[in-house]
Amino acid sequence: MNSNLQFLRQGLKDIKTVGTFLRTAKNVSKSMVKHAAVSQCNTILELGAGDGAITKYILKDLKADAKLIIFEVNPIFCEKLSKIEDSRIILIQTSAEEMVTELETLGIKKVDAIISAIPFVNLPESLTLKIVSICKDLLNPNARFVQIHYSLILKKLYASIFENLEVDFIPWHIPPAFLFIGKK
Ligand SMILES: C[S@@+](CC[C@H](N)C(=O)[O-])C[C@H]1O[C@@H](n2cnc3c(N)ncnc32)[C@H](O)[C@@H]1O
């Protein structure tokens, strides 16, 4: 099935978890990769990878010996992600809430960047606070957390966690996108 159609279908099935009916487009994906300085990372997390719309641009910039650890809950998307033949990927079909335990199993304490498309606006605020705070704790000094949203609703929440927060607005996207960039 065509990727856009499959994504739409998953969105229609569970809009609360998937968050949108459209995959992130190339320009915004590339912008997220740039904000996260992926080319300089040794270990990077992607949260809510969907079927890999942003993942493929992360992989393009990622060093040959680096690791990309993906947390994704949707089994259909995980099946698609598992077909990407790239030994740098570690795919974990679990909620990002479980990151610390899962990373400990892998012997990972800190990461060099986190790229997330989890639709936090649909999650209880307490859970969003928990996951985003874990993200901040996991970052190495100067590392970045890059999150896509389609509104500024959660700006205060991100600002309460990241003292150093930037917002990048990308109008040339359907829907227009806001990138929240939190620096440790
Ligand atoms: C808006 S889609 C983004 C998909 C893709 N990254 C893109 O940008 O096109 C959000 C994704 O987050 C996943 N997701 C939602 N809650 C999650 C959670 N707690 N942990 C990990 N993934 C989650 C959904 O299954 C969905 O694939």
mmCIF file of all heavy atoms in Angstrom, residues 90-128:
data_model
loop_
_atom_site.group_PDB
_atom_site.id
_atom_site.type_symbol
_atom_site.label_atom_id
_atom_site.label_comp_id
_atom_site.label_asym_id
_atom_site.label_seq_id
_atom_site.Cartn_x
_atom_site.Cartn_y
_atom_site.Cartn_z
ATOM 1 N N ILE A 90 18.148 0.728 16.137
ATOM 2 C CA ILE A 90 17.636 -0.187 17.164
ATOM 3 C C ILE A 90 16.178 0.224 17.356
ATOM 4 O O ILE A 90 15.895 1.340 17.803
ATOM 5 C CB ILE A 90 18.418 -0.068 18.494
ATOM 6 C CG1 ILE A 90 19.887 -0.450 18.267
ATOM 7 C CG2 ILE A 90 17.794 -0.960 19.563
ATOM 8 C CD1 ILE A 90 20.793 -0.190 19.472
ATOM 9 N N LEU A 91 15.277 -0.658 16.968
ATOM 10 C CA LEU A 91 13.849 -0.339 17.021
ATOM 11 C C LEU A 91 13.230 -0.932 18.283
ATOM 12 O O LEU A 91 13.352 -2.132 18.531
ATOM 13 C CB LEU A 91 13.159 -0.909 15.768
ATOM 14 C CG LEU A 91 11.643 -0.817 15.703
ATOM 15 C CD1 LEU A 91 11.151 0.626 15.755
ATOM 16 C CD2 LEU A 91 11.127 -1.504 14.437
ATOM 17 N N ILE A 92 12.570 -0.064 19.063
ATOM 18 C CA ILE A 92 11.946 -0.535 20.298
ATOM 19 C C ILE A 92 10.448 -0.221 20.234
ATOM 20 O O ILE A 92 10.056 0.946 20.205
ATOM 21 C CB ILE A 92 12.607 0.121 21.538
ATOM 22 C CG1 ILE A 92 14.124 -0.186 21.523
ATOM 23 C CG2 ILE A 92 11.977 -0.378 22.828
ATOM 24 C CD1 ILE A 92 14.922 0.471 22.618
ATOM 25 N N GLN A 93 9.649 -1.283 20.191
ATOM 26 C CA GLN A 93 8.193 -1.096 20.070
ATOM 27 C C GLN A 93 7.582 -0.916 21.455
ATOM 28 O O GLN A 93 6.929 -1.798 22.002
ATOM 29 C CB GLN A 93 7.572 -2.297 19.350
ATOM 30 C CG GLN A 93 6.119 -2.044 18.984
ATOM 31 C CD GLN A 93 5.487 -3.206 18.248
ATOM 32 O OE1 GLN A 93 6.167 -3.947 17.554
ATOM 33 N NE2 GLN A 93 4.182 -3.352 18.394
ATOM 34 N N THR A 94 7.843 0.256 21.999
ATOM 35 C CA THR A 94 7.421 0.576 23.362
ATOM 36 C C THR A 94 7.208 2.076 23.459
ATOM 37 O O THR A 94 7.806 2.840 22.699
ATOM 38 C CB THR A 94 8.559 0.199 24.364
ATOM 39 O OG1 THR A 94 8.884 -1.168 24.182
ATOM 40 C CG2 THR A 94 8.177 0.431 25.789
ATOM 41 N N SER A 95 6.376 2.493 24.430
ATOM 42 C CA SER A 95 6.167 3.927 24.629
ATOM 43 C C SER A 95 7.447 4.610 25.107
ATOM 44 O O SER A 95 8.217 4.040 25.905
ATOM 45 C CB SER A 95 5.066 4.142 25.665
ATOM 46 O OG SER A 95 5.043 5.500 26.054
ATOM 47 N N ALA A 96 7.629 5.828 24.673
ATOM 48 C CA ALA A 96 8.793 6.630 25.070
ATOM 49 C C ALA A 96 8.872 6.787 26.592
ATOM 50 O O ALA A 96 9.940 7.066 27.143
ATOM 51 C CB ALA A 96 8.714 7.998 24.407
ATOM 52 N N GLU A 97 7.749 6.589 27.243
ATOM 53 C CA GLU A 97 7.694 6.639 28.707
ATOM 54 C C GLU A 97 8.697 5.657 29.337
ATOM 55 O O GLU A 97 9.179 5.872 30.444
ATOM 56 C CB GLU A 97 6.286 6.177 29.070
ATOM 57 C CG GLU A 97 5.693 6.773 30.258
ATOM 58 C CD GLU A 97 4.318 6.148 30.496
ATOM 59 O OE1 GLU A 97 3.611 5.787 29.532
ATOM 60 O OE2 GLU A 97 3.976 6.026 31.676
ATOM 61 N N GLU A 98 8.964 4.565 28.614
ATOM 62 C CA GLU A 98 9.828 3.493 29.140
ATOM 63 C C GLU A 98 11.295 3.676 28.734
ATOM 64 O O GLU A 98 12.102 2.757 28.885
ATOM 65 C CB GLU A 98 9.354 2.116 28.635
ATOM 66 C CG GLU A 98 7.891 1.825 28.805
ATOM 67 C CD GLU A 98 7.454 1.837 30.260
ATOM 68 O OE1 GLU A 98 8.296 1.545 31.126
ATOM 69 O OE2 GLU A 98 6.298 2.181 30.522
ATOM 70 N N MET A 99 11.624 4.846 28.178
ATOM 71 C CA MET A 99 12.960 5.082 27.625
ATOM 72 C C MET A 99 14.111 4.705 28.553
ATOM 73 O O MET A 99 15.050 4.040 28.139
ATOM 74 C CB MET A 99 13.135 6.571 27.292
ATOM 75 C CG MET A 99 12.748 6.954 25.918
ATOM 76 S SD MET A 99 13.072 8.693 25.658
ATOM 77 C CE MET A 99 11.989 9.519 26.780
ATOM 78 N N VAL A 100 14.035 5.182 29.808
ATOM 79 C CA VAL A 100 15.180 5.022 30.706
ATOM 80 C C VAL A 100 15.502 3.541 30.901
ATOM 81 O O VAL A 100 16.646 3.111 30.730
ATOM 82 C CB VAL A 100 14.930 5.731 32.055
ATOM 83 C CG1 VAL A 100 16.042 5.451 33.038
ATOM 84 C CG2 VAL A 100 14.798 7.234 31.828
ATOM 85 N N THR A 101 14.463 2.742 31.210
ATOM 86 C CA THR A 101 14.664 1.305 31.424
ATOM 87 C C THR A 101 15.220 0.651 30.175
ATOM 88 O O THR A 101 16.161 -0.142 30.231
ATOM 89 C CB THR A 101 13.305 0.636 31.761
ATOM 90 O OG1 THR A 101 12.597 1.494 32.634
ATOM 91 C CG2 THR A 101 13.484 -0.718 32.381
ATOM 92 N N GLU A 102 14.619 0.977 29.012
ATOM 93 C CA GLU A 102 15.059 0.353 27.752
ATOM 94 C C GLU A 102 16.505 0.734 27.424
ATOM 95 O O GLU A 102 17.289 -0.096 26.978
ATOM 96 C CB GLU A 102 14.135 0.780 26.595
ATOM 97 C CG GLU A 102 12.705 0.298 26.727
ATOM 98 C CD GLU A 102 12.567 -1.215 26.535
ATOM 99 O OE1 GLU A 102 13.459 -1.817 25.912
ATOM 100 O OE2 GLU A 102 11.571 -1.770 27.030
ATOM 101 N N LEU A 103 16.841 1.993 27.648
ATOM 102 C CA LEU A 103 18.206 2.445 27.329
ATOM 103 C C LEU A 103 19.222 1.830 28.289
ATOM 104 O O LEU A 103 20.342 1.504 27.896
ATOM 105 C CB LEU A 103 18.293 3.972 27.342
ATOM 106 C CG LEU A 103 17.519 4.678 26.215
ATOM 107 C CD1 LEU A 103 17.551 6.187 26.402
ATOM 108 C CD2 LEU A 103 18.076 4.320 24.839
ATOM 109 N N GLU A 104 18.804 1.658 29.549
ATOM 110 C CA GLU A 104 19.700 1.024 30.528
ATOM 111 C C GLU A 104 20.072 -0.376 30.077
ATOM 112 O O GLU A 104 21.224 -0.795 30.168
ATOM 113 C CB GLU A 104 19.015 0.970 31.901
ATOM 114 C CG GLU A 104 19.482 2.104 32.817
ATOM 115 C CD GLU A 104 18.685 2.162 34.101
ATOM 116 O OE1 GLU A 104 18.163 1.105 34.539
ATOM 117 O OE2 GLU A 104 18.592 3.265 34.655
ATOM 118 N N THR A 105 19.074 -1.099 29.538
ATOM 119 C CA THR A 105 19.318 -2.462 29.031
ATOM 120 C C THR A 105 20.374 -2.432 27.933
ATOM 121 O O THR A 105 21.158 -3.367 27.777
ATOM 122 C CB THR A 105 18.000 -3.039 28.439
ATOM 123 O OG1 THR A 105 16.962 -2.775 29.352
ATOM 124 C CG2 THR A 105 18.098 -4.518 28.172
ATOM 125 N N LEU A 106 20.394 -1.337 27.173
ATOM 126 C CA LEU A 106 21.368 -1.217 26.074
ATOM 127 C C LEU A 106 22.699 -0.621 26.557
ATOM 128 O O LEU A 106 23.622 -0.431 25.770
ATOM 129 C CB LEU A 106 20.798 -0.314 24.969
ATOM 130 C CG LEU A 106 19.546 -0.808 24.238
ATOM 131 C CD1 LEU A 106 18.957 0.299 23.373
ATOM 132 C CD2 LEU A 106 19.904 -2.017 23.366
ATOM 133 N N GLY A 107 22.742 -0.254 27.838
ATOM 134 C CA GLY A 107 23.962 0.343 28.387
ATOM 135 C C GLY A 107 24.129 1.806 27.991
ATOM 136 O O GLY A 107 25.245 2.328 27.997
ATOM 137 N N ILE A 108 23.011 2.460 27.658
ATOM 138 C CA ILE A 108 23.083 3.872 27.239
ATOM 139 C C ILE A 108 22.548 4.765 28.351
ATOM 140 O O ILE A 108 21.415 4.584 28.824
ATOM 141 C CB ILE A 108 22.278 4.094 25.931
ATOM 142 C CG1 ILE A 108 22.907 3.306 24.790
ATOM 143 C CG2 ILE A 108 22.168 5.581 25.580
ATOM 144 C CD1 ILE A 108 22.063 3.228 23.541
ATOM 145 N N LYS A 109 23.382 5.753 28.764
ATOM 146 C CA LYS A 109 22.958 6.647 29.853
ATOM 147 C C LYS A 109 22.589 8.026 29.311
ATOM 148 O O LYS A 109 21.705 8.693 29.822
ATOM 149 C CB LYS A 109 24.082 6.782 30.878
ATOM 150 C CG LYS A 109 24.293 5.515 31.691
ATOM 151 C CD LYS A 109 25.005 5.849 33.008
ATOM 152 C CE LYS A 109 25.088 4.667 33.938
ATOM 153 N NZ LYS A 109 26.005 3.604 33.490
ATOM 154 N N LYS A 110 23.303 8.466 28.261
ATOM 155 C CA LYS A 110 23.081 9.805 27.700
ATOM 156 C C LYS A 110 23.055 9.716 26.179
ATOM 157 O O LYS A 110 23.651 8.786 25.590
ATOM 158 C CB LYS A 110 24.215 10.762 28.109
ATOM 159 C CG LYS A 110 24.296 11.036 29.598
ATOM 160 C CD LYS A 110 23.248 12.041 30.043
ATOM 161 C CE LYS A 110 23.273 12.195 31.562
ATOM 162 N NZ LYS A 110 22.128 12.909 32.075
ATOM 163 N N VAL A 111 22.399 10.689 25.546
ATOM 164 C CA VAL A 111 22.333 10.694 24.078
ATOM 165 C C VAL A 111 22.726 12.077 23.551
ATOM 166 O O VAL A 111 22.732 13.069 24.291
ATOM 167 C CB VAL A 111 20.923 10.298 23.578
ATOM 168 C CG1 VAL A 111 20.548 8.903 24.059
ATOM 169 C CG2 VAL A 111 19.868 11.311 23.998
ATOM 170 N N ASP A 112 23.018 12.143 22.258
ATOM 171 C CA ASP A 112 23.516 13.392 21.665
ATOM 172 C C ASP A 112 22.408 14.236 21.022
ATOM 173 O O ASP A 112 22.640 15.399 20.669
ATOM 174 C CB ASP A 112 24.596 13.068 20.623
ATOM 175 C CG ASP A 112 25.730 12.288 21.262
ATOM 176 O OD1 ASP A 112 26.173 12.709 22.342
ATOM 177 O OD2 ASP A 112 26.147 11.251 20.705
ATOM 178 N N ALA A 113 21.236 13.649 20.822
ATOM 179 C CA ALA A 113 20.086 14.409 20.296
ATOM 180 C C ALA A 113 18.830 13.556 20.420
ATOM 181 O O ALA A 113 18.906 12.320 20.453
ATOM 182 C CB ALA A 113 20.304 14.779 18.832
ATOM 183 N N ILE A 114 17.688 14.249 20.493
ATOM 184 C CA ILE A 114 16.393 13.552 20.484
ATOM 185 C C ILE A 114 15.495 14.272 19.487
ATOM 186 O O ILE A 114 15.318 15.498 19.558
ATOM 187 C CB ILE A 114 15.727 13.547 21.884
ATOM 188 C CG1 ILE A 114 16.649 12.866 22.913
ATOM 189 C CG2 ILE A 114 14.360 12.849 21.818
ATOM 190 C CD1 ILE A 114 16.143 12.905 24.352
ATOM 191 N N ILE A 115 14.954 13.514 18.542
ATOM 192 C CA ILE A 115 13.998 14.067 17.572
ATOM 193 C C ILE A 115 12.662 13.392 17.856
ATOM 194 O O ILE A 115 12.577 12.163 17.902
ATOM 195 C CB ILE A 115 14.466 13.795 16.126
ATOM 196 C CG1 ILE A 115 15.696 14.663 15.823
ATOM 197 C CG2 ILE A 115 13.338 14.054 15.130
ATOM 198 C CD1 ILE A 115 16.220 14.568 14.409
ATOM 199 N N SER A 116 11.630 14.208 18.077
ATOM 200 C CA SER A 116 10.338 13.633 18.452
ATOM 201 C C SER A 116 9.190 14.210 17.633
ATOM 202 O O SER A 116 9.147 15.406 17.348
ATOM 203 C CB SER A 116 10.076 13.891 19.945
ATOM 204 O OG SER A 116 8.731 13.603 20.264
ATOM 205 N N ALA A 117 8.255 13.296 17.284
ATOM 206 C CA ALA A 117 7.017 13.725 16.626
ATOM 207 C C ALA A 117 5.824 13.183 17.403
ATOM 208 O O ALA A 117 4.721 13.093 16.874
ATOM 209 C CB ALA A 117 7.002 13.224 15.178
ATOM 210 N N ILE A 118 6.050 12.796 18.660
ATOM 211 C CA ILE A 118 4.938 12.304 19.488
ATOM 212 C C ILE A 118 3.901 13.423 19.610
ATOM 213 O O ILE A 118 4.262 14.566 19.914
ATOM 214 C CB ILE A 118 5.437 11.876 20.896
ATOM 215 C CG1 ILE A 118 6.310 10.625 20.781
ATOM 216 C CG2 ILE A 118 4.252 11.601 21.823
ATOM 217 C CD1 ILE A 118 6.834 10.105 22.108
ATOM 218 N N PRO A 119 2.630 13.121 19.359
ATOM 219 C CA PRO A 119 1.612 14.188 19.451
ATOM 220 C C PRO A 119 1.256 14.503 20.901
ATOM 221 O O PRO A 119 0.188 14.131 21.396
ATOM 222 C CB PRO A 119 0.422 13.600 18.676
ATOM 223 C CG PRO A 119 0.587 12.125 18.769
ATOM 224 C CD PRO A 119 2.053 11.841 18.926
ATOM 225 N N PHE A 120 2.163 15.195 21.588
ATOM 226 C CA PHE A 120 1.987 15.449 23.021
ATOM 227 C C PHE A 120 0.709 16.225 23.344
ATOM 228 O O PHE A 120 0.212 16.140 24.455
ATOM 229 C CB PHE A 120 3.206 16.196 23.578
ATOM 230 C CG PHE A 120 4.426 15.335 23.750
ATOM 231 C CD1 PHE A 120 5.597 15.606 23.079
ATOM 232 C CD2 PHE A 120 4.400 14.239 24.612
ATOM 233 C CE1 PHE A 120 6.726 14.819 23.245
ATOM 234 C CE2 PHE A 120 5.521 13.432 24.788
ATOM 235 C CZ PHE A 120 6.681 13.724 24.103
ATOM 236 N N VAL A 121 0.190 16.980 22.366
ATOM 237 C CA VAL A 121 -1.046 17.733 22.646
ATOM 238 C C VAL A 121 -2.209 16.794 22.978
ATOM 239 O O VAL A 121 -3.174 17.204 23.617
ATOM 240 C CB VAL A 121 -1.462 18.672 21.479
ATOM 241 C CG1 VAL A 121 -0.616 19.911 21.414
ATOM 242 C CG2 VAL A 121 -1.459 17.954 20.151
ATOM 243 N N ASN A 122 -2.116 15.533 22.547
ATOM 244 C CA ASN A 122 -3.193 14.565 22.808
ATOM 245 C C ASN A 122 -2.973 13.751 24.076
ATOM 246 O O ASN A 122 -3.801 12.948 24.449
ATOM 247 C CB ASN A 122 -3.326 13.579 21.636
ATOM 248 C CG ASN A 122 -3.661 14.278 20.351
ATOM 249 O OD1 ASN A 122 -4.175 15.386 20.357
ATOM 250 N ND2 ASN A 122 -3.366 13.642 19.232
ATOM 251 N N LEU A 123 -1.820 13.924 24.698
ATOM 252 C CA LEU A 123 -1.495 13.131 25.895
ATOM 253 C C LEU A 123 -1.855 13.908 27.157
ATOM 254 O O LEU A 123 -1.871 15.144 27.129
ATOM 255 C CB LEU A 123 0.024 12.845 25.923
ATOM 256 C CG LEU A 123 0.531 11.520 25.339
ATOM 257 C CD1 LEU A 123 0.108 11.344 23.906
ATOM 258 C CD2 LEU A 123 2.041 11.448 25.469
ATOM 259 N N PRO A 124 -2.124 13.202 28.268
ATOM 260 C CA PRO A 124 -2.341 13.927 29.521
ATOM 261 C C PRO A 124 -1.101 14.768 29.826
ATOM 262 O O PRO A 124 0.029 14.323 29.567
ATOM 263 C CB PRO A 124 -2.502 12.817 30.556
ATOM 264 C CG PRO A 124 -2.763 11.573 29.789
ATOM 265 C CD PRO A 124 -2.199 11.753 28.410
ATOM 266 N N GLU A 125 -1.313 15.981 30.366
ATOM 267 C CA GLU A 125 -0.185 16.886 30.597
ATOM 268 C C GLU A 125 0.880 16.246 31.493
ATOM 269 O O GLU A 125 2.084 16.427 31.275
ATOM 270 C CB GLU A 125 -0.689 18.193 31.221
ATOM 271 C CG GLU A 125 0.398 19.254 31.228
ATOM 272 C CD GLU A 125 -0.089 20.568 31.801
ATOM 273 O OE1 GLU A 125 -1.007 21.173 31.216
ATOM 274 O OE2 GLU A 125 0.471 20.977 32.842
ATOM 275 N N SER A 126 0.426 15.459 32.481
ATOM 276 C CA SER A 126 1.393 14.849 33.407
ATOM 277 C C SER A 126 2.330 13.883 32.664
ATOM 278 O O SER A 126 3.525 13.814 32.955
ATOM 279 C CB SER A 126 0.667 14.118 34.537
ATOM 280 O OG SER A 126 -0.214 13.175 33.975
ATOM 281 N N LEU A 127 1.775 13.168 31.680
ATOM 282 C CA LEU A 127 2.599 12.220 30.920
ATOM 283 C C LEU A 127 3.573 12.967 29.997
ATOM 284 O O LEU A 127 4.743 12.596 29.879
ATOM 285 C CB LEU A 127 1.695 11.269 30.108
ATOM 286 C CG LEU A 127 2.408 10.185 29.308
ATOM 287 C CD1 LEU A 127 3.296 9.327 30.212
ATOM 288 C CD2 LEU A 127 1.396 9.281 28.592
ATOM 289 N N THR A 128 3.077 14.047 29.389
ATOM 290 C CA THR A 128 3.969 14.860 28.536
ATOM 291 C C THR A 128 5.119 15.409 29.365
ATOM 292 O O THR A 128 6.288 15.322 28.972
ATOM 293 C CB THR A 128 3.171 16.021 27.891
ATOM 294 O OG1 THR A 128 2.116 15.448 27.141
ATOM 295 C CG2 THR A 128 4.046 16.871 26.995
#
